[in-house]
Amino acid sequence: MTTRPESTREVDAPLPIDASEPEREQASGDAEGSDEEPRLSVAAVARRLGVAPATLRTWDRRYGLGPTDHTSGRHRRYGPDDIARLEQMQRALLRGASPMEAARYARTVAAPQSQKPAEPEQQRAPGADEPLMLSGVLDGTEGELKLEGASTGGRGLKLTGAGPRTRGLGRAALALDSYSAQQLLIEALESDGVVTTWQEMLQPVLRAISERRQRSGSGVEVLQLLTDCASTALRSVIATAPAPVNPRPVVLAPVPGEVQELELVALAAALAANRVGHRLFGAALPREGLAAAVRRSAPAAVVLWAAQPHYAAPQVLDDIPITRQRSRAFVAGPGWSAEALPGYAERLGSLEAAVARVSESVLG
């Protein structure tokens, strides 16, 4: 504007799946005694968790997370406690653990319900009863994330040195798991703030996804989903921010024609958290609308964002009544050239620097 190296990284190779297996397992389940706990087949559990059936067999073989009562020669049937362990493993994977660490966590936390004492209502963890959408993403080679049970074109995300939340966000993005991506972002924004979340979590994943797209020529849907999730999470900060203290707002807008606006939304969220009031306009605002917004808002400052040099023309600044409103003029984004700017306009740098400079100019 670190995650410690793990001694073991494992990639689960997809195994052949017999299309007739679900029917055979279902028939096997119907033949079992009806007085036992309801048990699900491998195919049913795989659908519930969003992973490939081969992944469940691998977890059973490598980490011992299979049906507790399974005997050789019979189909695997998962009971409630077995499924609870698998869900805990998925939760740990999404938060950045390696498969081995996640399996150890699952065996420790998801003990059979019959062995757990009743938990007082006031001590239950927040969100304990909320549904969890799971991504099914596993670690690949060192510093790389890969999606298990889906086509990624043989390409993962290179996130070497990233922290657990960043890796979890990468997993959720690759899996197109918007719910988990938004929850991870909201958690980070609440605990770390907008600037830190942008610099240490969002930027690395966005950069890795863009690089992956350049290498493989695919993945535009991954980038679009993460951008939308990030915008939603950042706008939630704006919606819940404390009341602003500046009497004259800051107008934030992309230059006409510019379609990228996520970093501008991040700036708006960081300013809102600083109690700097603003008027944020999206990429669809035409030139005459931008001029009217500045004229009607009488802002203390105007920030125009441009990612593409083609749209970052100094003429845009001349077309809006900045000087007549006695507004500070700022430009932001890689599209601007400092040499071509009029003397009254100031170019902002990183998100952190932009937040500090705009806040200082408005609040004093």
Side-chain angles (χ1 to χ4, degrees):
M1 78 156 132
T2 62
T3 178
R4 58 180 176 80
E6 297 165 356
S7 58
T8 304
R9 290 286 185 182
E10 298 167 301
V11 182
D12 298 333
L15 301 177
I17 301 173
D18 188 342
S20 63
E21 182 179 22
E23 289 78 9
R24 295 203 310 270
E25 291 183 334
Q26 182 65 46
S28 173
D30 294 340
E32 294 177 358
S34 59
D35 57 340
E36 297 180 357
E37 285 184 314
R39 292 180 173 273
L40 299 180
S41 67
V42 172
V45 176
R47 285 193 299 270
R48 175 168 173 167
L49 298 182
V51 301
T55 299
L56 295 182
R57 298 188 186 92
T58 300
W59 289 357
D60 185 5
R61 184 177 69 253
R62 294 187 179 180
Y63 311 119
L65 292 181
T68 51
D69 298 330
H70 177 65
T71 57
S72 179
R74 300 187 65 184
H75 293 292
R76 291 175 173 84
R77 310 290 295 185
Y78 291 82
D81 293 333
D82 304 325
I83 296 172
R85 280 190 292 272
L86 296 175
E87 289 176 339
Q88 291 296 340
M89 179 162 182
Q90 282 280 47
R91 187 185 299 269
L93 286 170
L94 191 58
R95 292 304 189 268
S98 69
M100 187 176 298
E101 292 170 335
R104 183 165 57 248
Y105 169 81
R107 288 192 297 268
T108 302
V109 174
Q113 294 296 323
S114 59
Q115 299 177 13
K116 288 186 178 181
E119 190 175 7
E121 186 66 27
Q122 64 271 22
Q123 295 182 7
R124 292 184 64 82
D129 296 326
E130 296 177 1
L132 178 68
M133 291 188 68
L134 305 165
S135 70
V137 181
L138 300 176
D139 281 305
T141 56
E142 179 65 31
E144 186 168 336
L145 300 177
K146 287 190 177 181
L147 181 62
E148 174 68 21
S151 173
T152 60
R155 305 282 185 174
L157 293 185
K158 293 185 177 179
L159 288 171
T160 304
R165 274 183 176 156
T166 305
R167 297 179 67 79
L169 182 63
R171 290 184 171 91
L174 278 180
L176 301 182
D177 184 351
S178 58
Y179 176 87
S180 295
Q182 288 176 11
Q183 293 305 306
L184 287 167
L185 287 168
I186 289 172
E187 289 174 9
L189 289 167
E190 290 177 349
S191 62
D192 302 331
V194 175
V195 173
T196 299
T197 299
W198 176 266
Q199 292 177 338
E200 299 181 6
M201 187 174 177
L202 253 175
Q203 262 194 331
V205 177
L206 287 168
R207 187 183 303 114
I209 291 174
S210 297
E211 291 173 354
R212 173 183 180 269
R213 185 183 174 195
Q214 292 175 359
R215 295 195 309 267
S216 65
S218 62
V220 63
E221 73 285 357
V222 178
L223 183 60
Q224 183 65 54
L225 179 131
L226 181 57
T227 300
D228 291 343
C229 289
S231 180
T232 299
L234 290 166
R235 289 176 187 275
S236 73
V237 174
I238 299 173
T240 57
V245 296
N246 50 309
R248 297 173 64 194
V250 177
V251 167
L252 306 166
V255 297
E258 179 62 67
V259 296
Q260 298 183 41
E261 60 180 26
L262 183 60
E263 192 161 350
L264 191 66
V265 177
L267 175 58
L271 291 174
N274 272 7
R275 304 193 68 177
V276 176
H278 66 271
R279 305 290 185 267
L280 174 63
F281 295 92
L285 189 67
R287 181 166 301 187
E288 61 272 17
L290 176 59
V294 173
R295 184 170 55 251
R296 294 181 58 187
S297 300
V302 176
V303 180
L304 298 182
W305 164 264
Q308 303 298 326
H310 175 72
Y311 300 113
Q315 179 65 30
V316 176
L317 293 163
D318 296 333
D319 289 345
I320 57 179
I322 294 177
T323 54
R324 290 198 298 273
Q325 299 286 359
R326 296 184 179 179
S327 305
R328 294 296 303 270
F330 297 100
V331 297
W336 293 100
S337 170
E339 293 76 15
L341 292 175
Y344 60 85
E346 179 180 346
R347 188 173 185 269
L348 299 173
S350 67
L351 177 62
E352 183 176 15
V355 173
R357 185 70 186 95
V358 174
S359 298
E360 177 188 18
S361 68
V362 173
L363 301 180

